[in-house]
Amino acid sequence: MTTMKRLCVTAFLILWSLCAVAQEKSRTIVYIDGAKYYIHTVQAGETLYGLSKTYGVDEKVLRECNPVLAEGLKAAQNIKIPCVTDDAGVKPEKERKLRKTYDFHFVQKGETLYAISRQYEIPVNTLMEDNPDLDPLHMRLGQRILVRRKQIGSEDESGTREQWEQYRQSLNSVAEEGTAYHIVHPGETFYSLSHRFGITEEELGALNNGLKAADLKAGAMIKVPGRASEEPAAGDSLLPQHRFEMPRAKELEFRALRSSETLRIALLLPLATDNQPNANYLEFYQGFLMGLDSVKTRLGYSVHVDLFNTARDSARIAQIVRDESFRQAGLIVGPVYEEGLYPVVVFAEQKGIPVVSPLANIERMNSDALFQLAPDPTCKYEKVKELFAGNKRITLIGSASTDKEFEQEMLSLLEGVDYRRFTYKYVHPSGASARNSSSDLTPLLENEDDNLFIILSDDEVELDRILAALASAESGLTSRGRKAPQFRVLGNARWNRYNLDREMFFKDRVTFISTYHAKRDAEIVKTFDSAYIRAFGALPTLYSYRGYDTAMIFAPAMFSDIEYDLEQKLYTPLQTSYRFERNPESGNHVNRNWMRVNYQNDFTITIE
């Protein structure tokens, strides 16, 4: 081959390889301000000419869409390329044919693509592929979304988060200078976001095509000021462990009031939503008033309370924080939902006053001002660890219906511990067919060990039958002159929602771990119940008890224990005890005390 021919062949091969690099279009498609774009990652050797031919877009348009190209095309950089044809997704088909393959979803007010993905447990990517004209950030009210039936139920929450985060990263890779895309965290509001990003609420709305505060939803993707490189990965932002970064520089030091001073309390409760009263929080308020009455009459402190109805409206809470009577408070109780805490906590940190969350388990908010009455989930089973110690014979009793969450909690506790499994299946007690069947639990008691039974079923009828079968097996053994072994049942607190035979709790020696306990035949509870009925003409509820506890712990503490953050002390206003410790990671002061309730076979109940 001549030298000239070799050069021609070499030049042809080089040209062919350069053209081949960009022959396949990117599969990443995003919508930016209503326009549809491919996100293309530049490969080594690619040229604007080659890209324009591949995507059918003029080179001038590519430069206009990507100002960074003024410095030339660089390998590994992302550029956006307008979609001039629609060659992806579902082709136009007759309505009848569509209905064979898809379910139809019609977008509701404020709904996000993330929420639709979770509702149907279907990949975000599938929804976008099947709906090529769908702009995830600007879905229209009533817009029809095709939901592929074969994919329903195929995606878990982590997969949805990952794909939604990938879409956000794709947008941020080509975001305009000074802007970034942010996935809204649970509990974030227009107020908190505007403060976080240093703009007004009006500016934040304008940046997002007039988005209103009331339409902001967790999981929504919005545009915010800043640089994409500084916006934290949002895959974690939808996880429970994500925490807000509160603007505090140091730990707070609370000042105790002198006994002659008046304590002003701001009480924030969702007493009514959309003009519909909420009985639960009225009962909480009534219990709270009972507690304050005791603080005044028995302890002699002067206390004044200002009540604010928050509904479930973050904008209203932000407005309450600006109210003059609220700003005079020395103690804040509420709001009851974590999503409304941000502006309240910011104010409390500035003033150095405590905020009490009476009901919620705080998962995302960090602050030394926060006190949480709900017990810390990480401490839930500390009081039953001894049940797993020693030479216990542990048996997990399963059935056709299993409480998966409870099962996972138990398996975590049993890590490194020997245990057995038994599957219960009901057989009608008629003749020999019931003997030696899986509904006869006698074999579980034919040993001389110290037994612990953990019943995993979440079906009310099955639970009743299993508890009765255990009691029957013990009675059967003793009636035949045999000694039944020692045993106890570790139960699930959710059983209290069911209409189970409580006598079986005593016969099977059931132990529960509970967030709250108030037994009505206890003397202290009977006394409270009588006073409550006289005052309000109704029997108190758990909300009433928790309201009373909140007042009885924190109102007196503001004259003494608040200086020590209420630590190193056990508070028991009625029957439930509280022990507060500061979480070193979040700074929150969290109740670490769960109630262990033991039913004994002598028909007594002990509390630990």
Side-chain angles (χ1 to χ4, degrees), residues 414-476:
L414 290 168
E415 189 171 351
V417 178
D418 290 334
Y419 64 90
R420 299 161 180 78
R421 281 186 178 269
F422 181 90
T423 301
Y424 174 87
K425 185 176 181 180
Y426 177 71
V427 177
H428 193 276
S430 56
S433 62
R435 292 188 177 185
N436 302 318
S437 73
S438 55
S439 65
D440 179 11
L441 301 188
T442 302
L444 298 182
L445 297 179
E446 291 179 327
N447 61 75
E448 298 180 355
D449 299 325
D450 185 357
N451 290 264
L452 174 65
F453 298 119
I454 303 173
I455 304 174
L456 303 177
S457 176
D458 64 355
D459 181 88
E460 182 175 343
V461 175
E462 285 181 347
L463 281 169
D464 230 4
R465 287 171 173 168
I466 294 170
L467 291 168
L470 269 177
S472 176
E474 182 182 35
S475 298

Side-chain angles (χ1 to χ4, degrees), residues 74-239:
K74 298 178 181 178
Q77 73 181 157
N78 282 358
I79 62 173
K80 57 187 180 184
I81 302 176
C83 293
V84 294
T85 59
D86 200 343
D87 59 355
V90 179
K91 306 299 182 183
E93 297 177 63
K94 293 181 180 178
E95 193 78 3
R96 183 170 53 83
K97 241 181 173 181
L98 282 177
R99 291 183 181 276
K100 288 183 178 180
T101 307
Y102 302 98
D103 284 341
F104 297 158
H105 177 90
F106 295 92
V107 177
Q108 306 296 309
K109 184 178 180 182
E111 200 166 35
T112 65
L113 190 63
Y114 179 88
I116 295 172
S117 171
R118 293 309 312 132
Q119 178 179 339
Y120 293 95
E121 296 182 341
I122 187 171
V124 169
N125 293 344
T126 299
L127 290 172
M128 294 183 64
E129 289 167 7
D130 289 344
N131 298 272
D133 295 324
L134 174 65
D135 180 352
L137 274 60
H138 302 98
M139 295 193 299
R140 303 184 306 276
L141 180 64
Q143 181 178 2
R144 187 175 77 171
I145 308 292
L146 300 181
V147 181
R148 187 178 291 272
R149 286 183 186 146
K150 288 186 178 180
Q151 291 290 304
I152 292 176
S154 66
E155 188 62 273
D156 60 17
E157 187 174 359
S158 63
T160 299
R161 284 198 303 267
E162 182 179 351
Q163 291 172 29
W164 199 219
E165 166 63 9
Q166 288 172 351
Y167 188 81
R168 186 191 74 90
Q169 290 179 358
S170 295
L171 285 172
N172 275 342
S173 71
V174 294
E176 297 175 2
E177 186 67 27
T179 63
Y181 289 88
H182 171 79
I183 296 178
V184 177
H185 310 156
E188 285 188 321
T189 65
F190 252 50
Y191 179 88
S192 65
L193 287 169
S194 63
H195 277 253
R196 172 178 174 177
F197 293 104
I199 59 176
T200 66
E201 295 179 52
E202 292 74 17
E203 289 171 333
L204 182 61
L207 196 58
N208 290 277
N209 298 316
L211 180 68
K212 303 295 185 185
D215 295 327
L216 189 70
K217 304 290 183 183
M221 198 177 300
I222 63 172
K223 190 183 290 188
V224 295
R227 289 183 296 182
S229 60
E230 295 176 351
E231 171 61 18
D236 293 335
S237 70
L238 296 172
L239 293 171

Side-chain angles (χ1 to χ4, degrees), residues 21-55:
V21 170
Q23 280 187 356
E24 193 170 321
K25 291 181 179 180
S26 170
R27 298 175 63 87
T28 302
I29 296 175
V30 299
Y31 281 81
I32 302 174
D33 296 330
K36 187 176 180 180
Y37 296 90
Y38 293 101
I39 301 298
H40 181 88
T41 303
V42 178
Q43 305 297 314
E46 284 186 329
T47 65
L48 274 183
Y49 174 80
L51 291 174
S52 70
K53 293 302 181 185
T54 298
Y55 288 93

Side-chain angles (χ1 to χ4, degrees), residues 504-533:
M504 295 301 111
F505 287 6
F506 293 101
K507 290 186 175 182
D508 291 335
R509 297 172 283 283
V510 173
T511 288
F512 288 116
I513 295 298
S514 178
T515 59
Y516 198 89
H517 184 76
K519 194 168 181 290
R520 292 196 186 278
D521 60 359
E523 198 59 41
I524 191 169
V525 178
K526 286 196 315 189
T527 301
F528 175 82
D529 287 357
S530 297
Y532 188 95
I533 291 169

